[in-house]
Amino acid sequence: MLLSRVANSIYWMNRYIERAENIARFIDVNLQLSLDQFTPASDPWGPLIDVTGDREAFDKLYDSTTRANVMRFLTLDREYPNSIANCIALARDNARTIRDIITSEMWQQINAMHITVKRAADDVIREDRPVDFYRSVKEGCLLFSANTDATMSHNEGFEFCKLGRMLERADKTSRVMDVKYFLLLPDAEDVGGALDTVQWAALLRSVGALEMYRQVHGVITPGNVAAFLILDRQFPRSLTHCLEQAQGALTHITGVHNGHSSPVQRCVGRLRSQLQFSQIDEIIDFGLHEYIDDTQTQLNKIDESIDKAFFRFTPPAEDIFAQQSAQMQQ
Amino acid sequence: MDLNGYSTTGFYDELITDAGTPRPAAVPLMDRLFELEQGEIQQRQRAAERALFESGTTFNVYHEEQATERIIPFDVVPRIIESDVWDRVEKGLKQRIQALNHFLTDIYGPQHILQDGTIPREYVDLDNPTFQKCMTLHPPRGVWCHISGIDLVRTDGDEFYVLEDNLRCPSGVSYVLENRRVLKQTFPRVFGSLPIRSVDDYAEKLLATLEHLAPRGIDRPQTVVMTPGIYNSAYFEHSYLAQQMGVPLVEGSDLIVHDGFVKMKTTRGLQRVDVIYRRIDDDFIDPGCFNPDSALGVRGIMDVYRSGRVALANAPGAGIADNKVIYAFVPKMIEYYLDQDPILPNVETFLCGREADCTYVLDNLDKLVVKPANEAGGKGIMVGPHASQAERDAYAEVIAKDPRGYIAQPTLSLSRVPTVVDEQLEGRHVDLRPYILYGKDIHVLPGGLTRVALRKNSLVVNSSQGGGTKDTWVLAQNGHATD
C-alpha cells in the first residue's frame, strides 16, 4: 500500500537526484573539454545552458555565458530551480516527508550531500580544482541509488524510485544529444566530413558512454554515436534502455504485464516500441533533432500520465506552513 | 569523576543523599561513573548525542527556507526510581485517568457533576464552540483519552505530585524510546546489572490500544497516524511511531470521506481507514465541522466518527478536561466518580477566577508561579521569585484583565538528579512525564520522559526553553530483570 503523496515524493526525489548527477557530469566534462582546446571555441559554455532548456531563465539573471556565470547558474543559483543546489535541496525535502518509508542510510546520504553542497558556496566557482566538487556530487548521487538498491525493499516504493530515475535519465540523455549533436553536425550532409573527435568523445563522456561505446563500435562516427545513445539496449544511459527499465517498473507497480489498458502503460509502451523498432538510418533521414524532439514530447506526456494515474496531487493551501507549525504538541 | 563538591543543599536529590553518598538504587551507576577516566563521561555524552542525531531523533526549528534540526539536549546520567515507589505512582495514574474519563463522559452527557454543584459551571469551558459540537458524542468503548501524558514532580523522597494533565496530543514518548536505546549503548554494564523495566513494548501496546477502538466486525482494522505535516515540531515523533507500529503516516490531504467512510488515497485507489491516531487539534480535524480555514483536516470526518465508522484517538472533546483550571478539580473527580481518595496529590493551586484566591495571588506574586490556563510548552509562565518587580506588575495587569484565565502555584523545590556539567556532576531540577494508554486495559509506560532544566538553578524544563531529557530507569521488583 503506497499513499499517492508518498509515491509522488519518491518519484520526484529520484528525479531530482538523477538531475543533479547529470548536471554535475555535464559540467565535469565541459571543464575537461575546455582544458583541451588550444583555440577556445567561441562559446564553450553556452551549449550547457541550452541542454537544460532554460536559456530564458539564464538570460534573466546573467548577461553572458562566461564560465563563472554558467557554473554558478547550474551549480548554486537559488533562483534557478534546476541548479544542483536546488535539486539536492528539493530531493532532501521530499526525502524528509517520507523518512519513514526510506531507509536511514538513504536519508543520511541525501542529508550529507545537502550539507556538502551548502558548504561549497562560492568557493567551487573560483577554486583551482572544481572538478573535485562535481565528482563528489556525481558520486554522492550514485551512492544514493546504490543505497536504494541495496537497502530498500524492492517493493512498490522502490519501483517508483526506478521509474523516476529512468525517465529523468532518458530526458537528460536526449537533451545532451540534441544540443551537442546539433552543434557538432548542423547538417546531415556533414556526415563523412572532417570530424572533431575530441568534441565527439566529449559528448560521449558527458553521459559516461565513451568506454562502452568503444567496446561496441570502436571508431567514432556520428551515426554510431546516435545509435549507441538512442538504441543500444544494454548501455544504461541509452534511451531504449531507460524506457525498458521504466516500463518494467510500471509493470511491477500496476501488476499488469503487457499492459495496454491503462493510459500510462500505453504511453510508455508506445515510446518504448518506437525506440525498439527504429533503425539509425531512418532516424537520421527523419532528422535527429526532430526525432529527439518527438521523444521529449512523449516523455512529457508520460510524466503527465503518471501524475494522473498515481498522484493526482492537490497543491497545499497557502498558509499550510503556519497551520502545521502552530499545532500545539503538549 | 567523583562527588567532591556535589551539592544537595536545599533540594531533594534523587540519586545522592545529603551525606554525599549514592542512594542504594544508584550505587551500581555511581560506582561505574567513579571508574571513568578524565574526560570519559563527556566522550560518552557526545557519543550519545551523535547517536541521537544520526537516527534523526530531532526537534524541528523549522523556518520556511531552512530546516534546522537539532536534538533535544540529552544527558547520559539516568534517573532511577525504585520499584515500590513506581508501583504507587502507577496506581495513582490509573486512578486519575479513570476519573478524568468519567468526567468527560459526564460532561458530554448528563453533567451530574455540574448539576449538583461539585464543580462550578463557570470553570468548565462550555462556551467553546468546538466543545459544544462534541456534546452527545459517544466515543468507541466509552474511552476519551487513549493516550495521555500526566506530568509529575517530586519535592522529597516521599510524594510525587501531579503538575498537569495532558489529554490532547501529549508528545515525547519517542524520545523516551530513543533515549533508552542510546543509554543501553552508553552504559551497557550498569544497565545489564540492574533489573530495569522495559519500555520496548510501547509501540505494540499503542497499536493494540488503537486497534481495540476499531468498529466491530472488522477482521484486520486499518490504523493510521495522522500528522499536521513536516513543519510541525513533533513531526519526528509522528513518523517514528508510525514506523514502529508499521502503520501508514498520513496527512489530512491523504484522506477523503467517500461512501460514508474515511479512505486513504493510494496508488491503487481509495482504501478504507478504521482507526486514526490523530496528532492534530480538535479544531483542525474537520473544516466542515470546526475551523473552516483548516488545511490539515478532512472534510466530513466528524460525520463518519459520529456514525461509528471510524475511530479517532484521542477522542474529540477530550481537551475540555485538559487545562490548568480543571486540573484543580481532579482530586474532587476521583472522590466523586470513584469514591476513593486520590493516591497522587495535586500541587496546591490557586484559581484566579475565585476572588479570594485572586487576592492572595496578587499579594504574593513574588512567591508564586503563575500560568495561563490554556497554554502548552511553558509559554506565558511567570516564575515570581525570578521575575523583576516590573515583570510582576505587568503580569498583575494581565491577570486583572482575565482572572479566570490564570492559575498560580507555590514555587516548588523540585527534586534534582546529577547531570553532566563540563567534567563533573551537578544537580539539576527534573520533572517526569509518564505515558498512559487506555484501551482494553490501562497501561502505564514504566518511567516516562524525565525532563531536566539544564541551566543552573532553572526550574523550566521545557525543551523549547533550554530543557533537556534523561532516561528514566524504573526498577523491577525482586531483582528480576525484564530488559
Side-chain angles (χ1 to χ4, degrees):
Chain A
M1 188 292 323
L2 197 59
L3 288 173
S4 294
R5 172 180 55 84
V6 172
N8 188 41
S9 286
I10 292 178
Y11 177 77
W12 279 102
M13 175 179 71
N14 280 274
R15 284 203 73 141
Y16 286 128
I17 294 204
E18 183 72 24
R19 191 169 295 181
E21 189 208 317
N22 280 273
I23 298 176
R25 217 179 263 279
F26 297 163
I27 297 180
D28 188 9
V29 170
N30 223 47
L31 280 169
Q32 307 278 5
L33 189 63
S34 58
L35 291 174
D36 272 330
Q37 311 223 264
F38 304 123
T39 45
S42 56
D43 183 20
W45 289 92
L48 232 54
I49 304 291
D50 294 323
V51 168
T52 65
D54 292 321
R55 204 17 180 297
E56 234 184 280
F58 178 83
D59 289 337
K60 279 208 190 97
L61 299 165
Y62 300 90
D63 16 78
S64 59
T65 51
T66 62
R67 173 185 132 137
N69 284 351
V70 172
M71 277 173 66
R72 175 168 292 114
F73 179 71
L74 294 177
T75 311
L76 305 167
D77 205 322
R78 288 284 165 186
E79 308 285 318
Y80 175 49
N82 291 324
S83 66
I84 291 179
N86 273 340
C87 284
I88 305 268
L90 286 166
R92 184 184 181 267
D93 276 353
N94 276 297
R96 228 179 151 258
T97 67
I98 53 173
R99 273 292 278 281
D100 48 315
I101 306 288
I102 62 179
T103 68
S104 47
E105 279 103 326
M106 288 162 73
W107 165 253
Q108 277 158 32
Q109 177 54 25
I110 291 194
N111 217 18
M113 270 199 293
H114 179 72
I115 294 175
T116 306
V117 172
K118 250 174 56 163
R119 288 214 184 113
D122 275 310
D123 297 341
V124 72
I125 316 282
R126 283 182 259 114
E127 235 184 73
D128 267 346
R129 290 182 53 89
V131 172
D132 288 342
F133 170 78
Y134 295 105
R135 298 256 159 97
S136 80
V137 171
K138 227 173 51 182
E139 280 163 12
C141 297
L142 287 172
L143 187 57
F144 178 78
S145 23
N147 259 329
T148 305
D149 274 354
T151 65
M152 187 177 183
S153 287
H154 289 206
N155 52 25
E156 195 182 340
F158 175 81
E159 300 296 338
F160 274 101
C161 286
K162 211 162 102 182
L163 189 61
R165 218 184 312 154
M166 289 299 125
L167 292 175
E168 182 70 23
R169 190 179 290 181
D171 182 67
K172 287 296 167 288
T173 303
S174 69
R175 277 180 201 273
V176 84
M177 278 192 56
D178 197 16
V179 172
K180 285 286 195 173
Y181 203 98
F182 183 72
L183 265 188
L184 297 173
L185 205 68
D187 263 303
E189 269 101 62
D190 289 344
V191 174
L195 276 189
D196 186 346
T197 333
V198 169
Q199 291 268 4
W200 281 102
L203 165 57
L204 285 168
R205 277 211 186 84
S206 299
V207 290
L210 183 59
E211 281 107 7
M212 291 296 126
Y213 170 88
R214 289 224 191 276
Q215 282 188 19
V216 174
H217 292 285
V219 166
I220 291 181
T221 71
N224 280 343
V225 170
F228 190 64
L229 295 180
I230 299 177
L231 304 175
D232 193 287
R233 294 191 65 187
Q234 293 177 324
F235 182 63
R237 309 190 89 87
S238 84
L239 300 187
T240 300
H241 183 93
C242 290
L243 262 298
E244 270 177 23
Q245 292 289 310
Q247 190 176 43
L250 264 180
T251 302
H252 280 116
I253 290 168
T254 58
V256 178
H257 294 258
N258 301 318
H260 299 303
S261 51
S262 75
V264 64
Q265 277 174 307
R266 277 203 299 275
C267 256
V268 173
R270 180 178 298 133
L271 180 55
R272 190 236 160 136
S273 318
Q274 185 180 305
L275 288 165
Q276 199 177 345
F277 294 115
S278 295
Q279 302 267 41
I280 192 60
D281 302 322
E282 292 167 356
I283 296 178
I284 306 262
D285 281 343
F286 182 75
L288 184 63
H289 172 72
E290 288 75 12
Y291 187 87
I292 292 183
D293 219 25
D294 174 70
T295 303
Q296 282 176 356
T297 306
Q298 291 199 51
L299 284 171
N300 286 341
K301 281 217 181 77
I302 290 174
D303 191 48
E304 272 167 40
S305 71
I306 287 175
D307 193 67
K308 243 176 144 168
F310 306 114
F311 309 153
R312 263 169 299 175
F313 199 60
T314 20
E318 280 194 359
D319 64 345
I320 193 99
F321 170 72
Q323 282 199 20
Q324 283 187 15
S325 47
Q327 284 295 300
M328 280 204 307
Q329 301 290 300
Q330 300 172 310
Chain B
M1 161 124 321
D2 54 47
L3 287 175
N4 292 339
Y6 188 87
S7 163
T8 61
T9 322
F11 300 101
Y12 176 76
D13 193 291
E14 305 214 359
L15 300 190
I16 313 293
T17 67
D18 280 336
T21 55
R23 297 189 191 280
V27 166
L29 173 71
M30 295 310 299
D31 280 348
R32 182 75 189 102
L33 292 180
F34 296 153
E35 280 170 14
L36 294 179
E37 302 275 336
Q38 178 89 337
E40 216 184 310
I41 187 126
Q42 284 187 299
Q43 256 176 34
R44 296 199 185 205
Q45 178 67 36
R46 276 197 293 273
E49 285 166 6
R50 207 165 38 239
L52 287 171
F53 191 80
E54 272 165 18
S55 70
T57 315
T58 53
F59 187 87
N60 284 354
V61 179
Y62 209 113
H63 305 292
E64 281 191 70
E65 287 107 41
Q66 297 277 339
T68 319
E69 285 182 40
R70 45 189 184 86
I71 59 158
I72 295 192
F74 171 70
D75 183 87
V76 292
V77 180
R79 175 206 210 138
I80 304 177
I81 300 179
E82 296 92 337
S83 178
D84 51 348
V85 170
W86 181 256
D87 286 342
R88 189 156 183 278
V89 168
E90 190 178 55
K91 279 206 190 80
L93 291 170
K94 287 185 179 177
Q95 180 194 57
R96 194 170 174 104
I97 200 71
Q98 277 181 305
L100 281 163
N101 206 62
H102 281 294
F103 172 73
L104 285 163
T105 304
D106 191 21
I107 277 294
Y108 287 115
Q111 297 187 341
H112 292 311
I113 203 169
L114 300 183
Q115 307 283 10
D116 60 25
T118 308
I119 297 183
R121 195 172 204 99
E122 58 268 21
Y123 286 111
V124 184
D125 197 5
L126 294 164
D127 289 333
N128 183 310
T130 305
F131 298 146
Q132 278 179 352
K133 292 200 181 102
C134 295
M135 288 295 160
T136 73
L137 276 181
H138 295 293
R141 319 286 171 277
V143 177
W144 295 81
C145 336
H146 312 96
I147 300 128
S148 29
I150 296 190
D151 295 351
L152 304 175
V153 293
R154 211 176 188 181
T155 57
D156 55 39
D158 301 318
E159 203 67 89
F160 267 98
Y161 291 84
V162 175
L163 190 61
E164 186 170 290
D165 304 296
N166 295 298
L167 310 174
R168 286 187 257 207
C169 295
S171 66
V173 74
S174 56
Y175 302 123
V176 174
L177 302 175
E178 283 292 284
N179 288 352
R180 173 59 57 92
R181 180 183 65 85
V182 166
L183 211 60
K184 280 188 199 172
Q185 292 170 18
T186 309
F187 292 123
R189 264 192 287 160
V190 180
F191 202 92
S193 71
L194 284 172
I196 299 171
R197 299 195 199 190
S198 173
V199 296
D200 285 347
D201 60 351
Y202 181 78
E204 185 152 333
K205 292 238 155 57
L206 175 60
L207 185 59
T209 303
L210 295 169
E211 289 190 342
H212 175 65
L213 304 173
R216 291 193 205 282
I218 296 181
D219 200 24
R220 295 181 58 196
Q222 175 68 63
T223 303
V224 301
V225 175
M226 186 174 172
T227 176
I230 63 167
Y231 299 133
N232 185 269
S233 56
Y235 177 76
F236 162 75
E237 178 158 300
H238 309 156
S239 148
Y240 179 83
L241 291 175
Q243 188 185 43
Q244 295 289 308
M245 290 193 284
V247 304
L249 178 71
V250 304
E251 295 175 19
S253 57
D254 296 319
L255 302 178
I256 190 169
V257 170
H258 178 258
D259 273 353
F261 289 93
V262 176
K263 299 187 181 172
M264 288 186 280
K265 300 174 192 166
T266 78
T267 54
R268 306 254 169 122
L270 297 177
Q271 221 173 293
R272 198 185 73 213
V273 172
D274 303 306
V275 183
I276 303 177
Y277 174 18
R278 48 109 189 182
R279 292 288 289 251
I280 297 182
D281 203 48
D282 288 358
D283 208 31
F284 280 76
I285 51 174
D286 186 342
C289 180
F290 303 123
N291 184 338
D293 294 326
S294 169
L296 309 177
V298 186
R299 186 172 290 273
I301 196 174
M302 284 302 289
D303 288 332
V304 183
Y305 177 68
R306 234 179 257 280
S307 72
R309 284 190 227 123
V310 76
L312 296 173
N314 291 326
I320 201 173
D322 174 351
N323 67 57
K324 298 177 179 52
V325 168
I326 291 290
Y327 153 89
F329 292 101
V330 176
K332 272 224 173 98
M333 290 180 205
I334 294 174
E335 287 157 14
Y336 188 85
Y337 295 110
L338 303 176
D339 197 22
Q340 294 169 11
D341 288 325
I343 297 171
L344 291 173
N346 266 18
V347 172
E348 185 181 17
T349 303
F350 302 99
L351 300 178
C352 297
R354 284 202 279 241
E355 217 181 304
D357 284 5
C358 196
T359 314
Y360 177 81
V361 170
L362 292 173
D363 286 341
N364 289 283
L365 278 177
D366 58 330
K367 298 196 198 75
L368 301 169
V369 178
V370 195
K371 308 180 187 178
N374 264 310
E375 292 283 4
K379 248 167 74 181
I381 291 186
M382 182 192 69
V383 179
H386 294 170
S388 68
Q389 187 59 41
E391 282 167 346
R392 288 197 283 264
D393 291 338
Y395 212 95
E397 277 179 39
V398 168
I399 296 176
K401 284 202 193 99
D402 174 28
R404 234 185 264 147
Y406 291 88
I407 62 125
Q409 293 167 328
T411 13
L412 297 170
S413 305
L414 296 188
S415 59
R416 303 210 296 204
V417 175
T419 301
V420 178
V421 178
D422 296 327
E423 293 202 0
Q424 289 296 357
L425 296 176
E426 285 181 20
R428 289 288 185 268
H429 296 290
V430 295
D431 77 355
L432 180 67
R433 175 179 288 186
Y435 295 88
I436 301 139
L437 297 174
Y438 196 151
K440 197 149 148 260
D441 308 303
I442 304 179
H443 172 74
V444 181
L445 184 70
L449 191 66
T450 290
R451 300 182 301 183
V452 54
L454 292 172
R455 274 183 237 133
K456 195 167 181 169
N457 298 325
S458 168
L459 292 168
V460 179
V461 299
N462 299 92
S463 52
S464 47
Q465 306 190 11
T469 66
K470 287 171 171 290
D471 193 14
T472 311
W473 293 355
V474 173
L475 300 179
Q477 237 153 354
N478 306 327
H480 293 309
T482 52
D483 210 334

